[in-house]
Amino acid sequence: MKTFLVLSTCLFVTAVATMVSAQTTQTTNASGNVVTTESSDKYGSGGTHQTVSDKTNYRLIAEFYYDKCGRKRESVYPGSSDGKIPPQTSYFDEEGRLELKVLHSKMMGDVYIDSKGDKMDPAQGKAVIEKLEKTSSPCPEKPGGQVKAKPETPPSLVAPSGTSPFLGQPFSPSTFSWTGPYMGIQFGYTRSSSDYNLKLGGLWNDFPDTRNEIQFQGMREFDENGFGLGGCAGYNYEFNNRFVIGAGVAGRKFWGLDAMHNTGDFSTGNTGDFDVWSKFRTTGIVTFGPKVGHACGRFLPYVSGGLAFGELDTAQKIFSSNFGGFREMGKASENRLGWTLGTGLQYAVTNNWSLRMEYSYSDLGTFKYAGKSSDTFHDFTTWHMATLTEHGGNFGIVYNFSQFGQR
């Protein structure tokens, strides 16, 4: 009885070993790397799973899944050893067409890319993979009823150095991410508006008609058109759901945004004639703040906002030839702090270069400063006030420094 059990066990082990050896083969390709082929039912019964490993330390270089007809349905690349290129899995339909890529990034998690190079929702991507793994159709027949043979792994899949040629190449330009730092130049049109007002007090209150008329004549709105040239820089981060957040700074130097106005002599009644002279100039603006957008492939519509810093040079003068030779001058220059809002659209021409168009509105608030007159009229007090708002339309050329722009 014992002899029978021993013989039975030996026969069973031998049969199992024979089955395993029949389902797993190991060869060496032209590059000297080890190619292991074993049976796999991942894409239906009769399929195979093939791995390519380094001949020295057996490090995995690539792996492939074939269906029973020898059609490649899935390929896996582990990524570069330095971590700059993340692992990638590609899925193919029964005609060998690429349906989906999954980039396994440590920073962004799994990123699903469709055959057109656009990002997919993770749930949608997982559904496509599940469908592909369940799809199995009859093998195509050649003339004469011969079934198409399983293709052998071409030697070119593995480079002589023992790494996949894919790992030494950048990702397809169509698989793009907005994550990373950027810098660029921008130029465009600017329209500035500045409202001037006067507030007279002190002994001016003894001449109410004169005071009111000078205040009225001193009101002036400057609406000027000009051009700006400057730069921008910042950082964006794109999530798997294509939601993009970032922060950036931008600045422009202005040309043509200055003006002067003189009322000419106007009568104030018994006190005589007066004249009000006003001058306006703004030289540039700097904005800083967050940005929020939603990526549509290589298009990025966004809104932005934050702080605005702008310089305002203002001057206003009141004088009269017959009110005791009255002379008053108010002049000041100040860097104003305000707020800004904007919206724009950016398009990635390549993995690193992009173009963007943007509209922005900035409000730098009200600037108030005191006027100065001679000692004779010291008690005739004057306050000058000026506001500054700006509308800007800009075009920019931007460079993205991040490697994650190439996937």
Side-chain angles (χ1 to χ4, degrees), residues 332-343:
S333 177
E334 183 171 291
N335 291 316
R336 300 290 301 165
L337 172 63
W339 56 271
T340 184
L341 287 175
T343 181

Side-chain angles (χ1 to χ4, degrees), residues 99-100 112-114 118-122 124-125 128 240 242:
E99 284 286 330
L100 177 71
Y112 295 82
I113 310 294
D114 64 20
D118 296 327
K119 275 190 175 182
M120 300 176 65
D121 180 78
Q124 182 184 3
V128 172
N240 287 343
R242 303 184 186 180

Side-chain angles (χ1 to χ4, degrees), residues 77-106:
Y77 295 96
S80 60
S81 57
D82 57 9
K84 291 184 177 180
I85 301 178
Q88 170 180 289
T89 304
S90 300
Y91 297 88
F92 304 85
D93 65 12
E94 293 174 302
E95 301 298 326
R97 294 182 294 247
L98 177 65
E99 284 286 330
L100 177 71
K101 287 183 180 180
V102 183
L103 306 177
H104 310 286
S105 169
K106 291 182 179 179

